[in-house]
Amino acid sequence: MFRKESAYEADFCFRIFIIMNCVVAKFGGTSVGSTESIKKAIEIVGSRYEKHPAVVVSAISRTTDMLIEAARNAANGAISIDAIKARQLEVMQGLGVQQSVIEDDLQELQDALQSISLVRKVLPELYALVVSFGERMSSKIIATYARGIGLHAVAYNSYNLGLITDSDYEEASVLPESYNRIASSMRAMPQNEIPIITGFIAKDANGSLTTLGRGGSDYTASIFGIAAGALEIQIWTDVSGVMTADPKIVSDARTIHEVSFNEAAELAYFGAKVLHPKTIYPAVEKNIPVKVLNTFRPNDSGTAIVHEVKNHEVLTAIAHKPDVSVIIISSPRMLFAYGFLEELFDIFAKHKIVVDTISTSEVSVSVTVDKKFDIEGLLVDLGKLAKVEVNKDRSSISIVGHGVKQTPGIAGAIFGALGAASINAEMISMGASEINISFVVESSNVQTAIKLLHKTFFELKDSPDAGIVSDAPAGSGSAAPWSRCHRRPASPARWPAR
Protein backbone atom coordinates (compact mmCIF):
# COMPACT_ATOMS: atom_id res chain seq x y z
CA MET A 1 0.00 0.00 0.00
CA PHE A 2 0.95 3.62 -0.39
CA ARG A 3 3.12 4.70 2.56
CA LYS A 4 1.64 7.84 4.09
CA GLU A 5 4.24 10.18 5.53
CA SER A 6 2.03 12.88 7.03
CA ALA A 7 -1.51 13.60 8.14
CA TYR A 8 -2.04 15.55 4.92
CA GLU A 9 -0.88 12.63 2.81
CA ALA A 10 -3.04 10.21 4.81
CA ASP A 11 -6.09 12.38 4.16
CA PHE A 12 -5.09 12.79 0.53
CA CYS A 13 -4.65 9.06 -0.09
CA PHE A 14 -8.03 8.32 1.51
CA ARG A 15 -9.73 10.88 -0.74
CA ILE A 16 -8.04 9.53 -3.86
CA PHE A 17 -9.15 6.03 -2.86
CA ILE A 18 -12.76 7.24 -2.65
CA ILE A 19 -12.51 9.09 -5.98
CA MET A 20 -10.66 6.49 -8.03
CA ASN A 21 -10.66 3.20 -6.12
CA CYS A 22 -6.95 3.36 -6.91
CA VAL A 23 -7.04 1.60 -10.30
CA VAL A 24 -4.88 2.85 -13.16
CA ALA A 25 -5.44 1.26 -16.57
CA LYS A 26 -3.10 1.67 -19.54
CA PHE A 27 -4.14 0.84 -23.10
CA GLY A 28 -1.29 0.34 -25.58
CA GLY A 29 -1.04 1.05 -29.28
CA THR A 30 -2.80 -2.10 -30.49
CA SER A 31 -5.53 -1.55 -27.90
CA VAL A 32 -6.19 1.88 -29.44
CA GLY A 33 -5.15 0.97 -32.96
CA SER A 34 -8.54 0.89 -34.67
CA THR A 35 -12.12 2.00 -34.31
CA GLU A 36 -13.12 -1.39 -32.95
CA SER A 37 -10.24 -1.69 -30.49
CA ILE A 38 -10.94 1.76 -29.04
CA LYS A 39 -14.59 0.81 -28.63
CA LYS A 40 -13.52 -2.35 -26.78
CA ALA A 41 -11.15 -0.36 -24.57
CA ILE A 42 -13.82 2.15 -23.62
CA GLU A 43 -16.32 -0.65 -23.07
CA ILE A 44 -13.88 -2.09 -20.52
CA VAL A 45 -13.51 1.31 -18.85
CA GLY A 46 -17.27 1.89 -18.85
CA SER A 47 -18.01 -1.50 -17.32
CA ARG A 48 -15.81 -0.49 -14.37
CA TYR A 49 -17.07 3.07 -14.16
CA GLU A 50 -17.92 2.75 -10.46
CA LYS A 51 -14.21 2.25 -9.78
CA HIS A 52 -13.42 5.66 -11.31
CA PRO A 53 -10.28 4.41 -13.13
CA ALA A 54 -7.57 6.68 -14.46
CA VAL A 55 -6.72 5.72 -18.05
CA VAL A 56 -3.31 6.11 -19.70
CA VAL A 57 -3.17 5.78 -23.50
CA SER A 58 -0.52 5.29 -26.16
CA ALA A 59 -0.61 6.76 -29.64
CA ILE A 60 -2.85 5.09 -32.20
CA SER A 61 -0.80 2.22 -33.61
CA ARG A 62 1.73 3.13 -36.33
CA THR A 63 1.43 6.85 -35.55
CA THR A 64 4.73 7.16 -33.66
CA ASP A 65 6.63 5.52 -36.52
CA MET A 66 4.92 7.90 -38.97
CA LEU A 67 5.91 10.88 -36.84
CA ILE A 68 9.55 9.78 -36.71
CA GLU A 69 9.57 9.30 -40.48
CA ALA A 70 8.00 12.74 -40.97
CA ALA A 71 10.73 14.31 -38.82
CA ARG A 72 13.47 12.62 -40.84
CA ASN A 73 11.86 13.70 -44.09
CA ALA A 74 11.60 17.27 -42.81
CA ALA A 75 15.33 17.26 -42.10
CA ASN A 76 15.76 16.55 -45.83
CA GLY A 77 13.41 19.37 -46.76
CA ALA A 78 10.21 17.37 -47.37
CA ILE A 79 7.37 18.45 -45.08
CA SER A 80 4.13 16.48 -45.05
CA ILE A 81 1.63 15.39 -42.40
CA ASP A 82 -0.77 13.79 -44.86
CA ALA A 83 -0.14 10.18 -43.79
CA ILE A 84 -0.35 11.06 -40.10
CA LYS A 85 -3.56 13.01 -40.58
CA ALA A 86 -5.10 10.22 -42.66
CA ARG A 87 -4.25 7.63 -40.00
CA GLN A 88 -6.02 9.64 -37.28
CA LEU A 89 -9.04 10.38 -39.46
CA GLU A 90 -9.35 6.70 -40.39
CA VAL A 91 -10.00 5.93 -36.73
CA MET A 92 -11.93 9.10 -35.91
CA GLN A 93 -14.50 8.63 -38.64
CA GLY A 94 -15.49 5.22 -37.30
CA LEU A 95 -15.88 6.73 -33.83
CA GLY A 96 -17.92 9.70 -34.99
CA VAL A 97 -15.24 12.16 -33.81
CA GLN A 98 -14.82 15.38 -35.78
CA GLN A 99 -11.48 16.49 -37.26
CA SER A 100 -11.72 19.75 -35.31
CA VAL A 101 -10.74 17.80 -32.17
CA ILE A 102 -7.12 17.51 -33.39
CA GLU A 103 -6.92 20.52 -35.72
CA ASP A 104 -4.71 22.55 -33.38
CA ASP A 105 -2.35 19.59 -32.90
CA LEU A 106 -2.02 19.09 -36.65
CA GLN A 107 -1.12 22.75 -37.12
CA GLU A 108 1.43 22.63 -34.32
CA LEU A 109 2.91 19.48 -35.83
CA GLN A 110 3.23 21.23 -39.19
CA ASP A 111 5.07 24.10 -37.48
CA ALA A 112 7.42 21.68 -35.69
CA LEU A 113 8.33 19.97 -38.98
CA GLN A 114 8.95 23.40 -40.50
CA SER A 115 11.44 24.12 -37.71
CA ILE A 116 13.25 20.85 -38.44
CA SER A 117 13.46 21.72 -42.14
CA LEU A 118 15.09 25.05 -41.30
CA VAL A 119 17.89 23.52 -39.22
CA ARG A 120 18.13 20.46 -41.50
CA LYS A 121 18.54 18.25 -38.47
CA VAL A 122 16.27 16.42 -36.03
CA LEU A 123 17.51 17.96 -32.79
CA PRO A 124 16.61 15.92 -29.68
CA GLU A 125 14.18 18.55 -28.39
CA LEU A 126 12.46 18.71 -31.80
CA TYR A 127 12.29 14.91 -31.92
CA ALA A 128 10.48 14.89 -28.55
CA LEU A 129 8.10 17.61 -29.70
CA VAL A 130 7.20 15.80 -32.92
CA VAL A 131 6.61 12.35 -31.44
CA SER A 132 4.52 13.81 -28.60
CA PHE A 133 1.64 14.45 -31.00
CA GLY A 134 0.75 10.76 -31.18
CA GLU A 135 -0.39 10.60 -27.56
CA ARG A 136 -1.68 14.16 -27.53
CA MET A 137 -4.06 13.37 -30.39
CA SER A 138 -5.06 9.89 -29.25
CA SER A 139 -6.03 11.07 -25.75
CA LYS A 140 -8.34 13.72 -27.25
CA ILE A 141 -9.86 11.30 -29.75
CA ILE A 142 -10.54 8.65 -27.11
CA ALA A 143 -11.90 11.09 -24.53
CA THR A 144 -14.21 12.66 -27.12
CA TYR A 145 -15.57 9.26 -28.14
CA ALA A 146 -16.04 8.25 -24.50
CA ARG A 147 -18.00 11.43 -23.78
CA GLY A 148 -20.13 10.70 -26.83
CA ILE A 149 -21.34 7.44 -25.29
CA GLY A 150 -22.07 9.00 -21.93
CA LEU A 151 -18.86 8.74 -19.89
CA HIS A 152 -17.49 11.85 -18.18
CA ALA A 153 -14.03 11.54 -19.78
CA VAL A 154 -11.50 14.37 -20.01
CA ALA A 155 -8.22 14.34 -21.96
CA TYR A 156 -5.09 15.40 -20.08
CA ASN A 157 -1.47 15.81 -21.09
CA SER A 158 0.50 14.06 -18.36
CA TYR A 159 2.80 17.04 -17.88
CA ASN A 160 -0.19 19.27 -17.12
CA LEU A 161 -0.94 16.91 -14.24
CA GLY A 162 2.57 17.25 -12.85
CA LEU A 163 4.78 14.68 -14.63
CA ILE A 164 8.27 16.22 -14.69
CA THR A 165 11.48 14.61 -15.92
CA ASP A 166 15.11 15.41 -16.48
CA SER A 167 16.14 16.84 -19.85
CA ASP A 168 16.95 13.58 -21.63
CA TYR A 169 14.60 14.15 -24.55
CA GLU A 170 14.55 10.59 -25.83
CA GLU A 171 14.59 8.48 -22.65
CA ALA A 172 13.91 10.74 -19.70
CA SER A 173 13.85 9.82 -16.02
CA VAL A 174 10.99 10.97 -13.82
CA LEU A 175 11.85 13.46 -11.07
CA PRO A 176 10.70 12.65 -7.50
CA GLU A 177 8.59 15.79 -7.16
CA SER A 178 6.30 14.43 -9.89
CA TYR A 179 4.49 12.18 -7.43
CA ASN A 180 3.17 14.94 -5.17
CA ARG A 181 2.29 17.14 -8.13
CA ILE A 182 0.34 14.35 -9.83
CA ALA A 183 -1.34 13.45 -6.56
CA SER A 184 -2.54 17.02 -6.05
CA SER A 185 -3.88 17.22 -9.59
CA MET A 186 -5.78 13.96 -9.28
CA ARG A 187 -7.20 14.95 -5.93
CA ALA A 188 -8.73 18.04 -7.55
CA MET A 189 -10.61 16.02 -10.20
CA PRO A 190 -14.41 15.63 -9.88
CA GLN A 191 -15.45 12.27 -8.49
CA ASN A 192 -17.30 11.25 -11.64
CA GLU A 193 -14.47 12.17 -14.01
CA ILE A 194 -12.41 9.61 -15.93
CA PRO A 195 -9.06 11.16 -16.91
CA ILE A 196 -7.65 10.01 -20.26
CA ILE A 197 -3.93 10.69 -19.82
CA THR A 198 -1.13 10.79 -22.38
CA GLY A 199 1.46 8.07 -21.91
CA PHE A 200 5.09 8.26 -23.05
CA ILE A 201 5.52 12.05 -22.88
CA ALA A 202 6.40 14.56 -20.17
CA LYS A 203 8.15 17.91 -19.72
CA ASP A 204 11.36 18.92 -18.00
CA ALA A 205 11.66 21.69 -15.42
CA ASN A 206 12.15 24.23 -18.22
CA GLY A 207 8.88 23.26 -19.90
CA SER A 208 10.47 21.42 -22.83
CA LEU A 209 8.80 18.22 -23.99
CA THR A 210 10.58 14.95 -23.21
CA THR A 211 9.79 11.28 -23.81
CA LEU A 212 10.14 8.21 -21.62
CA GLY A 213 11.46 5.97 -24.41
CA ARG A 214 9.57 3.61 -26.69
CA GLY A 215 6.97 1.72 -24.70
CA GLY A 216 7.05 4.44 -22.05
CA SER A 217 3.28 4.54 -21.63
CA ASP A 218 3.61 1.56 -19.27
CA TYR A 219 6.05 3.64 -17.24
CA THR A 220 3.56 6.53 -17.18
CA ALA A 221 0.87 4.20 -15.83
CA SER A 222 3.22 3.01 -13.10
CA ILE A 223 4.08 6.59 -12.06
CA PHE A 224 0.41 7.59 -11.90
CA GLY A 225 -0.43 4.39 -10.04
CA ILE A 226 2.07 5.22 -7.32
CA ALA A 227 0.94 8.85 -7.12
CA ALA A 228 -2.67 7.68 -6.66
CA GLY A 229 -1.78 5.01 -4.11
CA ALA A 230 -3.23 2.48 -6.53
CA LEU A 231 -4.35 -0.96 -5.47
CA GLU A 232 -3.55 -2.20 -8.96
CA ILE A 233 -1.94 -1.04 -12.20
CA GLN A 234 -3.48 -2.65 -15.26
CA ILE A 235 -1.60 -2.96 -18.55
CA TRP A 236 -4.08 -3.75 -21.33
CA THR A 237 -2.50 -5.17 -24.47
CA ASP A 238 -3.18 -7.66 -27.27
CA VAL A 239 -2.06 -10.81 -25.42
CA SER A 240 -3.53 -12.46 -22.34
CA GLY A 241 -0.65 -11.66 -20.02
CA VAL A 242 3.03 -12.47 -19.83
CA MET A 243 3.70 -15.57 -21.91
CA THR A 244 6.25 -18.36 -21.53
CA ALA A 245 7.74 -17.15 -24.83
CA ASP A 246 6.92 -14.77 -27.66
CA PRO A 247 3.68 -16.21 -29.10
CA LYS A 248 4.70 -14.94 -32.53
CA ILE A 249 7.54 -17.46 -32.40
CA VAL A 250 6.08 -20.23 -30.24
CA SER A 251 2.48 -21.06 -31.05
CA ASP A 252 2.16 -23.15 -27.87
CA ALA A 253 3.32 -20.34 -25.55
CA ARG A 254 1.01 -20.12 -22.56
CA THR A 255 0.02 -17.42 -20.12
CA ILE A 256 1.84 -17.27 -16.80
CA HIS A 257 -0.83 -16.46 -14.23
CA GLU A 258 1.49 -15.06 -11.57
CA VAL A 259 5.10 -13.87 -11.60
CA SER A 260 7.24 -12.05 -9.08
CA PHE A 261 8.42 -8.47 -9.50
CA ASN A 262 12.00 -9.73 -9.90
CA GLU A 263 11.08 -12.20 -12.63
CA ALA A 264 9.00 -9.61 -14.47
CA ALA A 265 11.82 -7.07 -14.26
CA GLU A 266 14.31 -9.55 -15.74
CA LEU A 267 11.89 -10.54 -18.51
CA ALA A 268 11.12 -6.92 -19.37
CA TYR A 269 14.78 -5.92 -19.42
CA PHE A 270 15.85 -8.88 -21.53
CA GLY A 271 13.26 -8.43 -24.24
CA ALA A 272 9.74 -9.49 -23.20
CA LYS A 273 7.69 -6.90 -25.09
CA VAL A 274 4.58 -6.96 -22.92
CA LEU A 275 6.11 -4.57 -20.35
CA HIS A 276 8.40 -1.56 -20.51
CA PRO A 277 11.46 -2.33 -18.32
CA LYS A 278 10.97 0.78 -16.16
CA THR A 279 7.37 -0.14 -15.35
CA ILE A 280 8.27 -2.68 -12.73
CA TYR A 281 10.62 -0.74 -10.47
CA PRO A 282 8.23 1.99 -9.28
CA ALA A 283 5.62 -0.68 -8.57
CA VAL A 284 8.19 -2.74 -6.62
CA GLU A 285 9.04 0.30 -4.50
CA LYS A 286 5.44 0.65 -3.30
CA ASN A 287 4.47 -3.03 -3.59
CA ILE A 288 1.61 -2.28 -5.99
CA PRO A 289 0.50 -5.30 -8.06
CA VAL A 290 0.67 -4.95 -11.83
CA LYS A 291 -1.77 -6.92 -13.97
CA VAL A 292 -1.29 -7.61 -17.69
CA LEU A 293 -4.63 -8.13 -19.46
CA ASN A 294 -5.99 -8.65 -22.97
CA THR A 295 -8.18 -5.87 -24.39
CA PHE A 296 -9.69 -8.31 -26.88
CA ARG A 297 -10.36 -11.05 -24.30
CA PRO A 298 -11.12 -9.03 -21.18
CA ASN A 299 -12.45 -12.02 -19.22
CA ASP A 300 -9.10 -13.83 -19.41
CA SER A 301 -7.35 -13.80 -16.05
CA GLY A 302 -4.10 -12.40 -17.46
CA THR A 303 -0.88 -12.22 -15.45
CA ALA A 304 -0.54 -10.78 -11.96
CA ILE A 305 2.89 -9.38 -11.15
CA VAL A 306 3.24 -9.43 -7.38
CA HIS A 307 5.87 -9.00 -4.70
CA GLU A 308 6.08 -12.71 -3.92
CA VAL A 309 4.76 -15.78 -5.70
CA LYS A 310 3.62 -18.48 -3.28
CA ASN A 311 4.22 -21.50 -5.55
CA HIS A 312 7.20 -20.86 -7.79
CA GLU A 313 7.77 -22.89 -10.89
CA VAL A 314 11.40 -23.71 -11.58
CA LEU A 315 11.41 -21.75 -14.82
CA THR A 316 9.06 -18.92 -15.69
CA ALA A 317 9.66 -17.81 -19.27
CA ILE A 318 12.04 -17.26 -22.17
CA ALA A 319 12.77 -13.71 -23.33
CA HIS A 320 14.88 -12.54 -26.23
CA LYS A 321 16.31 -9.41 -27.79
CA PRO A 322 16.75 -9.54 -31.56
CA ASP A 323 19.68 -8.00 -33.39
CA VAL A 324 22.08 -7.09 -30.60
CA SER A 325 25.74 -6.32 -31.19
CA VAL A 326 28.47 -8.21 -29.32
CA ILE A 327 31.54 -6.06 -28.65
CA ILE A 328 34.70 -7.92 -27.63
CA ILE A 329 37.44 -5.78 -26.05
CA SER A 330 40.83 -7.47 -25.61
CA SER A 331 44.00 -6.15 -24.01
CA PRO A 332 46.94 -7.69 -22.09
CA ARG A 333 46.68 -4.62 -19.84
CA MET A 334 43.74 -6.28 -18.12
CA LEU A 335 45.89 -9.04 -16.63
CA PHE A 336 46.42 -8.41 -12.89
CA ALA A 337 45.57 -4.74 -13.41
CA TYR A 338 43.12 -2.51 -11.59
CA GLY A 339 41.26 0.44 -13.10
CA PHE A 340 41.00 -0.99 -16.62
CA LEU A 341 37.29 -1.80 -16.38
CA GLU A 342 36.57 1.64 -14.94
CA GLU A 343 38.34 3.23 -17.89
CA LEU A 344 36.48 0.94 -20.27
CA PHE A 345 33.00 1.67 -18.96
CA ASP A 346 33.70 5.39 -18.71
CA ILE A 347 33.81 5.25 -22.52
CA PHE A 348 30.38 3.61 -22.64
CA ALA A 349 29.08 6.27 -20.24
CA LYS A 350 30.54 9.05 -22.40
CA HIS A 351 28.54 7.78 -25.39
CA LYS A 352 25.43 7.08 -23.26
CA ILE A 353 25.36 3.46 -24.40
CA VAL A 354 23.81 0.91 -22.04
CA VAL A 355 25.37 -2.54 -21.68
CA ASP A 356 22.89 -5.41 -21.44
CA THR A 357 25.09 -8.36 -20.50
CA ILE A 358 28.78 -8.75 -19.77
CA SER A 359 31.22 -11.64 -19.76
CA THR A 360 34.89 -11.37 -18.75
CA SER A 361 38.11 -13.37 -18.92
CA GLU A 362 41.68 -12.58 -17.87
CA VAL A 363 42.41 -10.38 -20.89
CA SER A 364 39.05 -9.67 -22.55
CA VAL A 365 35.59 -8.32 -21.91
CA SER A 366 32.53 -9.09 -24.03
CA VAL A 367 29.36 -7.03 -23.84
CA THR A 368 26.06 -6.84 -25.68
CA VAL A 369 24.36 -3.59 -26.64
CA ASP A 370 20.92 -2.98 -28.10
CA LYS A 371 20.56 -2.30 -31.82
CA LYS A 372 19.03 1.13 -31.10
CA PHE A 373 22.46 2.54 -30.20
CA ASP A 374 24.81 4.05 -32.77
CA ILE A 375 28.13 2.48 -31.78
CA GLU A 376 30.48 3.95 -34.39
CA GLY A 377 31.85 6.70 -32.12
CA LEU A 378 32.07 4.24 -29.24
CA LEU A 379 34.19 1.84 -31.30
CA VAL A 380 36.63 4.62 -32.22
CA ASP A 381 37.21 5.47 -28.56
CA LEU A 382 37.41 1.84 -27.50
CA GLY A 383 40.00 1.25 -30.20
CA LYS A 384 42.31 3.73 -28.46
CA LEU A 385 42.18 1.57 -25.34
CA ALA A 386 42.29 -2.00 -26.66
CA LYS A 387 41.72 -4.30 -29.61
CA VAL A 388 38.03 -4.29 -30.53
CA GLU A 389 35.97 -6.86 -32.41
CA VAL A 390 32.26 -6.53 -33.22
CA ASN A 391 29.91 -9.39 -34.00
CA LYS A 392 26.60 -8.22 -35.40
CA ASP A 393 23.57 -10.26 -36.45
CA ARG A 394 23.31 -11.70 -32.96
CA SER A 395 20.32 -12.11 -30.64
CA SER A 396 20.29 -12.62 -26.89
CA ILE A 397 18.14 -15.22 -25.14
CA SER A 398 17.37 -15.22 -21.42
CA ILE A 399 15.74 -18.03 -19.47
CA VAL A 400 14.19 -16.67 -16.29
CA GLY A 401 12.97 -18.42 -13.17
CA HIS A 402 13.67 -18.81 -9.46
CA GLY A 403 14.87 -22.36 -10.04
CA VAL A 404 17.76 -21.35 -12.31
CA LYS A 405 20.25 -21.32 -9.45
CA GLN A 406 18.90 -24.09 -7.26
CA THR A 407 17.82 -26.83 -9.66
CA PRO A 408 20.49 -29.26 -10.88
CA GLY A 409 20.56 -29.92 -14.60
CA ILE A 410 19.03 -26.68 -15.90
CA ALA A 411 22.18 -25.36 -17.58
CA GLY A 412 23.04 -28.80 -18.93
CA ALA A 413 19.58 -29.16 -20.44
CA ILE A 414 19.75 -25.73 -22.06
CA PHE A 415 23.10 -26.11 -23.73
CA GLY A 416 22.68 -29.82 -24.41
CA ALA A 417 19.51 -29.08 -26.38
CA LEU A 418 21.22 -26.29 -28.31
CA GLY A 419 24.29 -28.41 -29.00
CA ALA A 420 22.18 -31.26 -30.32
CA ALA A 421 20.71 -28.81 -32.83
CA SER A 422 24.19 -27.49 -33.76
CA ILE A 423 23.38 -24.04 -32.34
CA ASN A 424 26.38 -22.34 -30.76
CA ALA A 425 25.83 -20.31 -27.59
CA GLU A 426 28.12 -17.35 -26.97
CA MET A 427 28.60 -15.07 -23.95
CA ILE A 428 26.95 -17.34 -21.39
CA SER A 429 26.23 -15.48 -18.16
CA MET A 430 24.09 -15.68 -15.04
CA GLY A 431 22.58 -12.41 -13.83
CA ALA A 432 23.42 -11.02 -10.40
CA SER A 433 19.82 -11.73 -9.42
CA GLU A 434 20.59 -15.43 -10.00
CA ILE A 435 17.20 -15.99 -11.59
CA ASN A 436 18.27 -15.86 -15.22
CA ILE A 437 20.73 -17.46 -17.59
CA SER A 438 21.52 -15.37 -20.66
CA PHE A 439 23.47 -16.16 -23.80
CA VAL A 440 23.83 -15.04 -27.39
CA VAL A 441 23.16 -16.91 -30.63
CA GLU A 442 23.35 -15.95 -34.28
CA SER A 443 20.15 -14.15 -35.22
CA SER A 444 19.47 -16.73 -37.93
CA ASN A 445 19.16 -19.35 -35.17
CA VAL A 446 17.18 -17.42 -32.56
CA GLN A 447 13.70 -18.64 -33.48
CA THR A 448 14.83 -22.26 -33.74
CA ALA A 449 16.59 -21.97 -30.37
CA ILE A 450 13.54 -20.47 -28.63
CA LYS A 451 11.19 -23.12 -30.04
CA LEU A 452 13.58 -25.86 -28.98
CA LEU A 453 14.03 -24.52 -25.45
CA HIS A 454 10.30 -23.96 -25.03
CA LYS A 455 9.66 -27.55 -26.10
CA THR A 456 12.29 -28.77 -23.65
CA PHE A 457 11.02 -26.87 -20.63
CA PHE A 458 7.42 -25.75 -21.13
CA GLU A 459 5.47 -27.99 -23.49
CA LEU A 460 3.89 -30.36 -21.06
CA LYS A 461 2.99 -33.99 -21.66
CA ASP A 462 -0.09 -35.55 -20.09
CA SER A 463 0.46 -37.44 -16.88
CA PRO A 464 -1.75 -39.84 -14.89
CA ASP A 465 -1.57 -37.26 -12.10
CA ALA A 466 -4.52 -34.90 -12.49
CA GLY A 467 -2.59 -31.84 -11.33
CA ILE A 468 1.00 -32.48 -12.26
CA VAL A 469 2.44 -33.16 -15.68
CA SER A 470 5.84 -34.29 -16.84
CA ASP A 471 7.93 -32.50 -19.41
CA ALA A 472 11.14 -34.50 -19.39
CA PRO A 473 13.05 -34.10 -22.62
CA ALA A 474 12.27 -36.80 -25.14
CA GLY A 475 14.61 -39.75 -24.83
CA SER A 476 15.73 -38.88 -21.30
CA GLY A 477 14.25 -42.07 -19.87
CA SER A 478 13.08 -40.34 -16.69
CA ALA A 479 11.50 -37.18 -15.47
CA ALA A 480 13.83 -34.21 -15.51
CA PRO A 481 14.49 -32.57 -12.12
CA TRP A 482 12.32 -29.59 -13.09
CA SER A 483 9.38 -31.63 -14.48
CA ARG A 484 7.50 -31.99 -11.22
CA CYS A 485 7.48 -28.22 -10.80
CA HIS A 486 5.34 -27.45 -13.85
CA ARG A 487 1.58 -27.60 -13.36
CA ARG A 488 -1.09 -27.63 -15.99
CA PRO A 489 -2.28 -24.03 -16.66
CA ALA A 490 -5.50 -23.12 -14.92
CA SER A 491 -8.61 -22.35 -16.91
CA PRO A 492 -9.00 -18.64 -17.65
CA ALA A 493 -10.75 -16.93 -14.78
CA ARG A 494 -13.18 -14.10 -15.11
CA TRP A 495 -12.31 -10.57 -14.03
CA PRO A 496 -12.35 -10.56 -10.22
CA ALA A 497 -15.37 -8.65 -8.92
CA ARG A 498 -14.19 -5.91 -6.59
Side-chain angles (χ1 to χ4, degrees), residues 42 46 70 95 162 173 191 212-213 239 283 304 316 321 339 345 362 396 448 469 498:
I42 294 304
L95 297 173
S173 295
Q191 288 191 21
L212 304 180
V239 294
T316 300
K321 276 191 176 181
F345 288 109
E362 288 83 354
S396 66
T448 301
V469 290
R498 288 203 307 267

Side-chain angles (χ1 to χ4, degrees), residues 187-316:
R187 179 187 180 187
M189 293 176 184
Q191 288 191 21
N192 65 339
E193 181 175 292
I194 297 178
I196 309 295
I197 304 163
T198 56
F200 175 61
I201 62 174
K203 281 188 175 180
D204 65 13
N206 299 317
S208 296
L209 275 155
T210 61
T211 70
L212 304 180
R214 294 300 293 265
S217 294
D218 290 359
Y219 189 20
T220 305
S222 188
I223 297 302
F224 274 80
I226 290 170
L231 292 179
E232 186 172 87
I233 299 165
Q234 301 169 354
I235 307 297
W236 291 88
T237 182
D238 58 356
V239 294
S240 295
V242 179
M243 311 290 282
T244 50
D246 185 341
K248 294 178 181 177
I249 296 175
V250 180
S251 60
D252 292 326
R254 60 182 175 90
T255 299
I256 309 158
H257 296 303
E258 194 173 59
V259 300
S260 70
F261 281 131
N262 287 342
E263 290 172 321
E266 295 280 351
L267 289 168
Y269 185 79
F270 286 104
K273 296 178 181 179
V274 174
L275 289 170
H276 185 280
K278 289 183 180 178
T279 304
I280 303 302
Y281 298 107
V284 169
E285 184 181 351
K286 296 297 181 183
N287 195 22
I288 298 174
V290 178
K291 201 154 193 183
V292 182
L293 299 158
N294 190 337
T295 304
F296 308 99
R297 299 182 62 178
N299 292 327
D300 285 4
S301 59
T303 298
I305 301 169
V306 296
H307 182 70
E308 184 176 354
V309 176
K310 293 180 181 178
N311 297 309
H312 281 294
E313 292 189 353
V314 172
L315 299 181
T316 300

Side-chain angles (χ1 to χ4, degrees), residues 44-67:
I44 290 167
V45 173
S47 68
R48 294 153 179 83
Y49 188 69
E50 73 282 357
K51 294 180 168 62
H52 303 284
V55 178
V56 174
V57 296
S58 298
I60 290 171
S61 62
R62 304 200 308 273
T63 299
T64 301
D65 289 336
M66 289 179 174
L67 288 164

